[in-house]
Amino acid sequence: MNESGRLRVLLADDQPLLRMGFRLILEGEDGLEVVGEASDGADAVRQVGHLDPDVVLMDVRMPTLDGIEATRAITGSGSRARIIILTTFDLDEYAFAGLQAGASAFLLKDVAPAELVQAVRVVASGDAVVAPRVTQRLLEMYVRGAGPAVSDGPGTPGTAAPPAAAPAPRDPLLEDLTPRETEMLEAMSEGLSNAEIAHRYFLSEATVKTHVRRILTKLHLRDRVQAVVYAYETGLVTPSNPDY
């Protein structure tokens, strides 16, 4: 966020019409500013370095450098930018790869304007995950290695998604969490919002936010969605429905 208090957004997509549509929606809102556009992942990485946006809307499939590798490069550089992966369907294996690479959320490209604006604000705040239950469903599918077919391109039959690796051994960092913080992490992994967690455990939302911040600090994670990915990948949380 710049000195004027406006959220700075970078658009990265190889479709000019889509970028134009998102720009029109975002710039029609108070407090939002589109500071740049990129037509491929390599350009997105460069522009993040120059423009220091708060949020990047990142298409997964772009020439030169795809959105997954661009996301990995941006998060690996230590940039404070939060990344929202743009995809065409909700159980996209590339969206899952984007979350693993450090993205904070994903959205469908046909998202309603109000949801797009809300997503940008939510991700910038770091307090919640966009469409948490959809994110949870995505994680359950791909952590189990039971994802839908992987398409090789338009009109090309897909093949089964490769099996996911077995969960890693329990991370010693988990031992640094208090029992209450472990409960909070498990609740976050269910897709519960701060308000829902507060209601479940008879806490104030402010207290829940404090627990979430401590969890992220102890586990060296960027935001809530990374905490959810971490919980699934380390085996702290397992898919709720084995027949999903």
Side-chain angles (χ1 to χ4, degrees):
M1 188 176 294
N2 59 20
E3 293 179 358
S4 69
R6 297 171 67 84
L7 289 176
R8 297 162 56 81
V9 183
L10 175 69
L11 306 178
D13 195 290
D14 61 346
Q15 299 179 47
L17 287 177
L18 190 71
R19 297 199 308 268
M20 180 187 300
F22 281 174
R23 177 182 282 273
L24 290 173
I25 292 168
L26 295 173
E27 292 194 333
E29 296 291 323
D30 291 337
L32 298 181
E33 175 184 9
V34 175
V35 296
E37 297 184 19
S39 59
D40 61 62
D43 190 23
V45 174
R46 286 192 295 270
Q47 291 202 46
V48 166
H50 292 311
L51 299 173
D52 189 31
D54 299 293
V55 177
V56 181
L57 292 177
M58 181 80 75
D59 185 20
V60 289
R61 297 173 178 85
M62 291 184 290
T64 310
L65 188 70
D66 66 32
I68 306 307
E69 291 306 315
T71 295
R72 187 171 288 113
I74 291 167
T75 58
S77 73
S79 170
R80 67 185 185 85
R82 306 291 184 182
I83 299 173
I84 299 175
I85 291 291
L86 298 172
T87 183
T88 53
F89 57 99
D90 62 0
L91 290 181
D92 188 346
E93 76 279 3
Y94 291 100
F96 175 61
L99 296 181
Q100 287 185 308
S104 295
F106 75 96
L107 286 177
L108 298 180
K109 285 190 174 184
D110 62 357
V111 61
E115 291 180 31
L116 173 66
V117 171
Q118 176 66 6
V120 169
R121 297 191 193 280
V122 163
V123 166
S125 75
D127 284 340
V129 177
V130 176
R133 288 178 180 79
V134 177
T135 302
Q136 179 196 18
R137 187 172 171 223
L138 184 83
L139 287 166
E140 292 195 353
M141 290 289 285
Y142 288 102
V143 168
R144 290 184 64 243
V150 178
S151 174
D152 298 318
T156 303
T159 56
R170 184 175 176 88
D171 190 335
L173 288 177
L174 287 171
E175 304 304 324
D176 293 336
L177 300 183
T178 67
R180 175 63 87 185
E181 288 166 350
T182 300
E183 285 181 335
M184 297 292 104
L185 179 54
E186 291 171 346
M188 289 161 59
S189 301
E190 292 179 39
L192 299 184
S193 67
N194 285 347
E196 290 169 330
I197 296 173
H199 179 74
R200 173 182 289 185
Y201 292 105
F202 305 101
L203 301 170
S204 69
E205 285 192 53
T207 298
V208 173
K209 288 182 179 181
T210 298
H211 282 306
V212 171
R213 283 194 297 270
R214 288 175 179 167
I215 291 166
L216 298 181
T217 298
K218 288 181 177 182
L219 299 180
H220 310 298
L221 300 169
R222 283 167 59 87
D223 53 31
R224 287 175 66 110
V225 77
Q226 296 308 304
V228 175
V229 172
Y230 173 91
Y232 275 89
E233 290 190 325
T234 59
L236 178 67
V237 174
T238 56
S240 58
N241 185 350
D243 297 321
Y244 217 128

